[in-house]
Amino acid sequence: MSDDANLIEGATVVARALAQQGVQFLFGVVGIPVIGLAAAAQAEGITYIGMRNEQAASYAAGAVGYLTGHPGACLAVSGPGMIHALAGMANAWSNCWPMILLGGACDTFYEGMGGFQEFPQVEAARLYSKFSARPSSIDRIPFYIERAVRLTTYGRPGAAYIDLPGDMLTGKVPESSVQYVPRCPPAPRSLACPKAIADAIQLLKSAKQPLVVIGKGAAFGRAETNAKRFVEETGMPFLPTPMGKGVLDDQHEQCVAAARSKALQSADVIVLLGARLNWMLHFGEEPRFRKDVKIIQVELCPEEFHGSVPVAVALNGHVDSVLEQLVNALGQSKPAWKHARTSPWWKSLSEKVEQNRIVSAELAKSDEMPMTYYRVFGEIVPQLPPHAVIVSEGANTMDIGRTVIPNRYPRHRLDAGTFGTMGVGLGFAIAAALVYPDRQVVCIEGDSAFGFSGLEIETAVRLQLPIVFVVVNNNGIYGGFDQETWAANQQEGSPAPGNCLLPNARYERVAEAFGGKGYFATTPDELRSAFREAIGNKKQVSLVNVMISPYAVRKPQEHEWLTRKSKL
């Protein structure tokens, strides 16, 4: 027996440590020095997904973390590859999703000498991670992997980075010297202070116009059962944030998402469930909120309280556990103060909901040509399977889609999120199709958004993931030129505005190039037929490229979508 028989390579140690910690999916782009790590991961039963760009790979890893509650992993080569993957790490950091980035690095012997793709990677990752480190030796790798998994899931979830020099991956140590760490247990759940629970109940009893806001933190925290109990037992109206959709069915009779502006602006007491008072909720400030509004915030991270406005009651703990505390604290008193559907508050919200639904329904039937966003969704929504996972990105495409596409189940919507990241669509869709192999994944995005990572269509085809992609094509970012205006502009020699893209680009042919099915739709009938066929095809990637007016816009808003302070 040779001396090498009892030696183990560093790449195998990494792969076994990941498997030991329950990491199921590894997305990446291989190259020097991480080629062997991808193969080692496959040998240990980890699903390795070779992507076309590290950005999409890192977005997919973060999406897996959100959908499963356990970190997905991304594998990148040294230097530029690792830098590309920082995009997904920053996205996970902003959204509070668990993920691990594994970055190859130049051999330790050549550090400081201008080694191949040498870069201060540990330092670069530290800004966007809860843990960023290089293992001290091959036999200590399992310690670092376990710590990365633990820190990405304990407390406020986030990202971790492990730096892996080439000589550490290819180096060998005696197998007996490697001590694998037991799989870290699920994160402990914390409860809110009982006095704070009592204060919250007392404040709710005094509320005349209460509202519940359900954030994606409630979705990540698997709080759907207790959220439903709390909302139904109190009788309060609720509205979800974009990725809080589905924690309670959007079609629930207490959902007032169609009256979002009025609900936020008029509520006197708001219960925030796993949602932050950042730009997505207009910082909790006027004019989007009442000046005297009282906030009851359920939040895992205590540093989040009082960040933009003071909160009346801070309930620090795991959102599902705190909701159970609240439901239990209601006791038998709730019928005496339950907010009845006959109250003036409910009546005003119901009227606004109905008004907005009528407007949206009329827009969805518009005969305007080229089509509008609303007509596109009017043809798509009735054909969506109830359990469909919706991935959405783009400006108006995403924002309008959020208001008109219903989500009935938690963690069945992925979009640009807290970081407002464009380019996440295809990576998210691939991740969702892997996590939910029995669900239809539909990725709806603008033409500009598709361009960020369009070649990941090849990844989806290669993996035989029957995702339906819909490109809502308006020839630009927010909107471009029609064909005639573009031609006239070119003839005059004028520079095209920065928001313009090539008119009538045939994105469906990208899918066809790799063996998928492409559709080009310019009328409602063509779109309806194409989408029906795409949804019915369970064995092939499909892309529907639907042309809309370059000048199509959202219906008039009561406020600008982005709240800003007055100019300095």
Side-chain angles (χ1 to χ4, degrees), residues 92 107 127 166 183 191 222 234 274 297 350 355-356 376-377 382 384 415 426 439 441 456 496 500 509 543 546 559 568:
D107 291 357
L127 286 174
R183 182 171 177 174
L191 297 173
R222 271 63 179 170
T234 60
Q297 186 171 6
S350 297
Q355 289 172 10
N356 287 340
V376 168
F377 287 117
L384 286 171
D415 64 25
L426 278 83
R439 306 290 167 92
V441 177
E456 297 299 342
C500 286
R509 293 176 180 170
L543 191 152
V546 54
H559 302 278
L568 295 177

Side-chain angles (χ1 to χ4, degrees), residues 479-496:
F481 281 161
D482 57 46
Q483 185 71 58
E484 294 73 19
T485 306
W486 174 269
N489 190 77
Q490 294 292 99
Q491 189 172 9
E492 293 170 2
S494 302

Side-chain angles (χ1 to χ4, degrees), residues 24-25 27 60 63-65 67-68 429-439:
Q24 295 178 286
F25 298 103
F27 303 84
V64 163
L67 295 173
T68 68
I430 289 167
L434 291 167
V435 171
Y436 297 129
D438 60 334
R439 306 290 167 92

Side-chain angles (χ1 to χ4, degrees), residues 84 94 159 175 181 219 232 236 244 279 324 333-334 349 352 379 381 473 486 490 515 523 551:
H84 291 166
S94 180
E175 191 165 3
V181 183
E232 292 181 348
M236 291 191 291
W279 68 273
E324 188 169 11
S333 65
K334 56 182 175 290
L349 290 177
K352 189 65 174 178
E379 298 299 333
V381 169
N473 189 347
W486 174 269
Q490 294 292 99
T523 68
Y551 314 109

Side-chain angles (χ1 to χ4, degrees), residues 157-361:
Y161 175 69
I162 302 294
D163 201 51
L164 299 168
D167 49 346
M168 182 174 288
L169 291 171
T170 58
K172 296 181 179 181
V173 296
E175 191 165 3
S176 59
S177 70
V178 180
Q179 298 297 314
Y180 293 97
V181 183
R183 182 171 177 174
C184 74
R189 290 191 170 197
S190 54
L191 297 173
C193 169
K195 183 181 183 305
I197 292 289
D199 290 344
I201 297 297
Q202 195 62 39
L203 182 55
L204 285 174
K205 287 182 178 181
S206 67
K208 298 290 192 297
Q209 298 181 171
L211 177 69
V212 179
V213 176
I214 301 175
K216 70 174 176 289
F220 180 83
R222 271 63 179 170
E224 49 266 24
T225 298
N226 280 319
K228 188 172 188 288
R229 289 177 62 201
F230 178 70
V231 166
E232 292 181 348
E233 293 189 20
T234 60
M236 291 191 291
F238 76 90
L239 64 85
T241 64
M243 271 190 279
K245 287 165 61 69
V247 172
L248 270 70
D249 190 338
D250 281 348
Q251 297 177 352
H252 192 289
E253 64 179 2
Q254 290 170 244
C255 181
V256 293
R260 182 181 188 271
S261 293
K262 182 173 182 60
L264 290 177
Q265 200 169 30
S266 305
D268 60 353
V269 175
I270 294 178
V271 183
L272 289 181
L273 301 179
R276 291 175 278 175
L277 289 174
N278 55 20
W279 68 273
M280 297 184 77
L281 283 174
H282 319 291
F283 314 104
E285 296 181 333
E286 294 183 282
R288 295 298 191 105
F289 290 74
R290 284 173 49 156
K291 184 176 182 179
D292 62 346
V293 67
K294 302 294 191 299
I295 303 291
I296 299 170
Q297 186 171 6
V298 181
E299 170 60 46
L300 189 64
C301 179
E303 289 86 353
E304 193 65 40
F305 295 120
H306 317 297
S308 55
V309 295
V311 299
V313 182
L315 298 176
N316 182 210
H318 189 282
V319 62
D320 188 45
S321 299
V322 173
L323 275 169
E324 188 169 11
Q325 287 181 279
L326 287 169
V327 171
N328 292 338
L330 291 173
Q332 299 303 311
S333 65
K334 56 182 175 290
W337 59 277
K338 182 173 178 177
H339 291 275
R341 299 296 298 276
T342 56
S343 68
W345 173 229
W346 259 114
K347 183 179 179 181
S348 67
L349 290 177
S350 297
E351 289 174 351
K352 189 65 174 178
V353 165
E354 188 59 26
Q355 289 172 10
N356 287 340
R357 282 178 176 166
I358 290 172
V359 171
S360 293

